[in-house]
Amino acid sequence: RMSLRARLRLVLPWLPLAIIVVAGAALRLDRIGELPPGLYRDEAWYGLDAVGVLNGHPALYFAANNGREGLFIYLLAAVVSFLGQTTLALRLTSALVGIATLGAIYLAGRAFFSHRIGVLAAGVLAGTFWHVALSRVAYRAITLPLFATLGLALAACALRASGRPRQALAVGAGMLIGLTFYTYTSAPFLAPLVLLAAIVIFLRRPADRPVILVIAGVTLAMLLPMAIWALRHPDLYLARAG
């Protein structure tokens, strides 16, 4: 049997992260259906589009209210289908995404640096005002950090792995990075940074080129539907950015 000391050695490194996640969850869930009071009109638009999806009207890009990427709306539709058409259903979706991002940024910090850096990153994010605020209202911006950090974390893991897990991680990274562009208007600003990193790794580390190519190929495949739609409807797609 494992001794008490050995068990403590296994548990103690994870205790700070557990405390951070619990504290972050409390900040995001406390009276989530009541604070902030009322339902802002943008939140109502998201709710209406989520109901539209449930009523058989899906879309790749939702043109109403100056246009919005659709990933968050589909997450809303899933929660609304369980909890009904309520303020709680809309805001709980954001809160759950925000809480999941604490775990995602830990994974990214650990994948790029170390367990300690991952815990510190989660701790900073747990109490960052804007992330807490956006976790308590039904805005799609909250989804961008989750998918971006998860995608980059899997990319880092893929570069360090070997064999079949390496390919699976690369495919997962490409899918999540591609989905990031379905989250929020500012997501394309990540593209130059990700592209620059990919080029540097491709040129300096020949052994990692197959992973970079897989990630790039899957990302482009994920982007293709939105790219085609945007080329066909540039006025609608660029309305929000304008």
Side-chain angles (χ1 to χ4, degrees):
R1 292 182 179 181
M2 186 180 296
S3 67
L4 179 60
R5 181 175 296 181
R7 291 178 182 178
L8 288 175
R9 287 178 181 174
L10 290 175
V11 171
L12 285 179
W14 297 100
L15 185 59
L17 181 62
I19 293 172
I20 286 168
V21 172
V22 170
L27 287 173
R28 287 156 178 79
L29 292 173
D30 181 42
R31 293 181 287 174
I32 185 67
E34 304 171 18
L35 295 175
L39 192 67
Y40 189 63
R41 61 185 180 184
D42 282 356
E43 294 179 277
W45 272 113
Y46 285 117
L48 290 172
D49 282 330
V51 172
V53 169
L54 293 173
N55 289 334
H57 301 287
L60 185 65
Y61 188 86
F62 292 81
N65 196 29
N66 295 317
R68 286 150 301 135
E69 295 79 6
L71 183 56
F72 180 63
I73 292 170
Y74 286 99
L75 295 177
L76 284 177
V79 178
V80 168
S81 67
F82 284 100
L83 299 181
Q85 299 177 29
T86 63
T87 301
L88 176 62
L90 299 182
R91 291 181 173 174
L92 182 60
T93 306
S94 295
L96 294 176
V97 170
I99 294 167
T101 308
L102 300 179
I105 201 168
Y106 163 76
L107 292 175
R110 178 171 180 169
F112 281 99
F113 302 104
S114 66
H115 169 77
R116 178 173 176 270
I117 295 298
V119 172
L120 288 172
V124 170
L125 188 64
T128 297
F129 172 78
W130 281 113
H131 196 264
V132 174
L134 288 172
S135 296
R136 297 185 61 88
V137 291
Y139 288 178
R140 74 192 189 286
I142 194 63
T143 57
L144 193 158
L146 174 61
F147 285 88
T149 51
L150 275 179
L152 295 175
L154 287 187
C157 291
L159 291 170
R160 295 180 178 180
S162 60
R164 291 184 179 179
R166 192 177 212 203
Q167 296 299 318
L169 288 167
V171 171
M175 292 178 66
L176 288 168
I177 294 172
L179 284 173
T180 301
F181 294 90
Y182 293 81
T183 59
Y184 188 60
T185 309
S186 60
F189 286 103
L190 291 173
L193 299 175
V194 175
L195 181 61
L196 178 61
I199 291 173
V200 169
I201 295 171
F202 189 86
L203 293 177
R204 292 187 176 183
R205 298 165 60 175
D208 291 328
R209 289 177 181 176
V211 174
I212 295 298
L213 291 175
V214 170
I215 293 173
V218 175
T219 299
L220 291 174
M222 296 294 294
L223 283 175
L224 190 59
M226 179 65 82
I228 293 173
W229 190 94
L231 289 173
R232 291 180 176 178
H233 308 89
D235 52 333
L236 296 177
Y237 183 73
L238 296 175
R240 173 71 62 174

